[in-house]
Amino acid sequence: MTEQTRQPGLKVDRVTVRYGATAAVDNVSLTVGPGEVVALLGPSGGGKSTLLRAVAGLEPLASGTVSWDGQDLAAVPVHKRAFGLMFQDGQLFPHLSVGANVAYGLKMAGLGRSERTSRANQWLTTVGLAGFANRDVATLSGGQAQRVALARALAPEPRLLLLDEPLSALDASLRQELADAVRATLAAATTPALWVTHDPAEAAAADRALRLADGRLT
Ligand code: ADP
Ligand code: MG
């Protein structure tokens, strides 16, 4: 094994993603090491979401590789990558309770009911929503809904969390508070993350920041 392939955690190596003739992501290389939180900044249309989707396995690569602990993920489908996803609109399941939303991925993982319930309650406590399990999703504020979305994304213990402007829909004061909460939660879970944002408060919560514009790191 070469030094290059032994890279622990995420390695994006010279990745290009095309939509027709346009390279939305153009020859991008980056790493996210164990426990590291890396912010991805840059103007709208710069390719941030496309890069995140490529890492998740939701966009085919025109060239380059995405690997984890040195293993090329080209043949590994989205659901087998063990990466968590969180978006601007948490897209909670409206017909499920808060607790059932958080437990959703655990059911997919085959855990029994009582284990799912206790783990969901633990995650709700971690994100500051102890006692919310039986609440109806429709009764949550925007900030509470994003806390639930974070708990849901982390409950299956993903090896990497991919966040796409997770707090952009919230007002500025709440964004600062939530950015700190997300950072603290990632640290508690020792989950590394690639965090797309154009918000300085969110970027400040990261260990380091990269900037993507016109598909290239600048
Ligand atoms: P960002 O997240 O930084 O705002 P995106 O990754 O969404 O940027 O978009 C990067 C570029 O790719 C933009 O020019 C956008 O119009 C284009 N693009 C994104 N998704 C698609 C798609 N599904 N089909 C065609 N073009 C797309
Ligand atoms: Mg985007």
Side-chain angles (χ1 to χ4, degrees):
M1 228 186 224
T2 66
E3 275 306 313
Q4 213 172 16
T5 58
R6 222 183 284 129
Q7 170 72 41
L10 180 73
K11 183 180 175 76
V12 171
D13 190 24
R14 289 165 290 172
V15 161
T16 295
V17 179
R18 290 185 191 285
Y19 295 118
T22 314
V25 172
D26 190 1
N27 200 36
V28 167
S29 299
L30 61 85
T31 61
V32 181
E36 204 177 20
V37 176
V38 177
L40 194 57
L41 304 165
S44 183
K48 303 181 299 296
S49 294
T50 303
L51 177 58
L52 217 62
R53 290 171 55 79
V55 169
L58 293 161
E59 293 290 342
L61 309 184
S63 60
T65 56
V66 173
S67 55
W68 184 265
D69 284 352
Q71 183 206 356
D72 186 347
L73 299 180
V76 180
V78 179
H79 64 283
K80 293 242 171 90
R81 293 191 180 196
F83 294 165
L85 292 162
M86 183 178 168
F87 301 101
Q88 177 174 328
D89 168 2
Q91 293 163 335
L92 299 178
F93 305 116
H95 59 291
L96 297 179
S97 68
V98 164
N101 264 276
V102 177
Y104 184 80
L106 302 175
K107 192 171 186 179
M108 297 294 104
L111 270 67
R113 179 182 291 271
S114 65
E115 178 71 13
R116 295 200 303 267
T117 302
S118 79
R119 283 233 228 154
N121 287 336
Q122 280 167 24
W123 280 105
L124 284 170
T125 301
T126 303
V127 299
L129 294 178
F132 274 64
N134 293 324
R135 286 274 291 269
D136 193 327
V137 162
T139 68
L140 300 176
S141 70
Q144 288 169 340
Q146 285 307 76
R147 287 177 188 263
V148 174
L150 178 64
R152 185 180 61 178
L154 287 171
E157 299 177 2
R159 52 191 185 176
L160 175 73
L161 189 62
L162 301 168
L163 305 122
D164 197 351
E165 306 196 23
L167 310 178
S168 295
L170 307 176
D171 66 53
S173 61
L174 191 56
R175 212 150 57 215
Q176 179 66 65
E177 182 191 324
L178 264 283
D180 294 342
V182 172
R183 184 67 187 94
T185 303
L186 290 171
T190 65
T191 304
L194 188 55
W195 186 340
V196 170
T197 180
H198 53 243
D199 183 77
E202 292 180 46
D207 295 315
R208 60 190 169 90
L210 303 171
R211 191 170 178 282
L212 193 66
D214 288 330
R216 294 172 180 242
L217 288 178
T218 60

